[in-house]
Amino acid sequence: MDKFTTLTAIAAPLNIDNIDTDKIIPARFLKTIKRTGLGKNAFADMRYNADGSEKPDFVLNQEPYREAEILVAGDNFGCGSSREHAPWALKDFGIRCIIAPSFADIFFNNSFKNGLLPIALPEEICAKLRADAAMGGNAKLTVDLARQVVIRPTGEEIPFQVEAFRKHCLLNGLDDIGLTLEHAAAIDAYEAGLPSWQPKIQGA
């Protein structure tokens, strides 16, 4: 998993509440179990017409937001089903951080496991950040995870909260497998001491 330290990037304003996981990645694209290749279908029903042409009024079809790595969204982002494909699709599109007033719990947890940083901030602050984002590529936001601040184009720093363990995992690029491999030496030592009749952990 890629490390998340400091991100300075274009932010896309998406002032829509209750964007559910079916909007993020519609169910018809859930046939794959790969984490890559879903970005082209992220927000498919919002991005494309029935004939496959782009909807020009959708923000991610506009310049410079095609290159956005931060999404400033509305309330209750990621509600709906528990599909992990939703953070996969966002990350494959290029999104590294989502800022919103609130998130659905399962989506929130899945985001951290897949290298995405969800930041919950009050609506009045999100409104300011969406206004910044609407200024385009000359008004990039900076997210400093180590210091736990979002920096506006004006230089104003907005603090945010993140649980210490999740912060550690993002800063060090550790998913569940990576966390296990941090203890590889202890696992090897434990297995070396097991009786010959006791099965060992495969692949450890």
Side-chain angles (χ1 to χ4, degrees), residues 27-168:
R28 63 186 179 276
F29 300 115
L30 303 187
K31 298 176 183 178
T32 182
I33 57 172
K34 295 181 179 179
R35 299 189 183 194
T36 57
L38 289 170
K40 64 181 180 294
N41 298 315
F43 300 106
D45 294 336
M46 302 172 76
R47 286 170 70 191
Y48 305 115
N49 295 305
D51 63 1
S53 60
E54 290 187 347
K55 296 180 178 180
D57 59 342
F58 185 64
V59 64
L60 296 180
N61 289 336
Q62 302 169 3
E63 298 294 347
Y65 305 115
R66 293 178 186 273
E67 307 301 322
E69 295 180 67
I70 301 170
L71 195 63
V72 188
D75 197 31
N76 196 30
F77 189 86
C79 56
S81 74
S82 61
R83 67 190 66 168
E84 198 167 3
H85 294 69
W88 293 357
L90 289 170
K91 190 171 183 186
D92 195 61
F93 178 86
I95 300 297
R96 299 292 311 283
C97 175
I98 308 104
I99 303 171
S102 68
F103 296 86
D105 288 343
I106 295 176
F107 175 85
F108 188 80
N109 293 330
N110 283 341
S111 293
F112 283 104
K113 291 181 179 180
N114 289 282
L116 287 173
L117 174 60
I119 298 175
L121 292 172
E123 167 56 30
E124 59 270 23
I125 294 177
C126 288
K128 291 181 181 180
L129 296 178
R130 284 193 292 268
D132 290 339
M135 296 168 63
N138 293 324
K140 294 181 179 180
L141 298 180
T142 295
V143 178
D144 186 332
L145 177 57
R147 296 175 55 225
Q148 292 181 213
V149 292
V150 176
I151 305 172
R152 299 180 63 197
T154 60
E156 178 187 1
E157 296 190 351
I158 299 169
F160 64 88
Q161 298 298 314
V162 60
E163 195 268 328
F165 175 72
R166 287 170 165 163
K167 177 180 178 179
H168 168 79

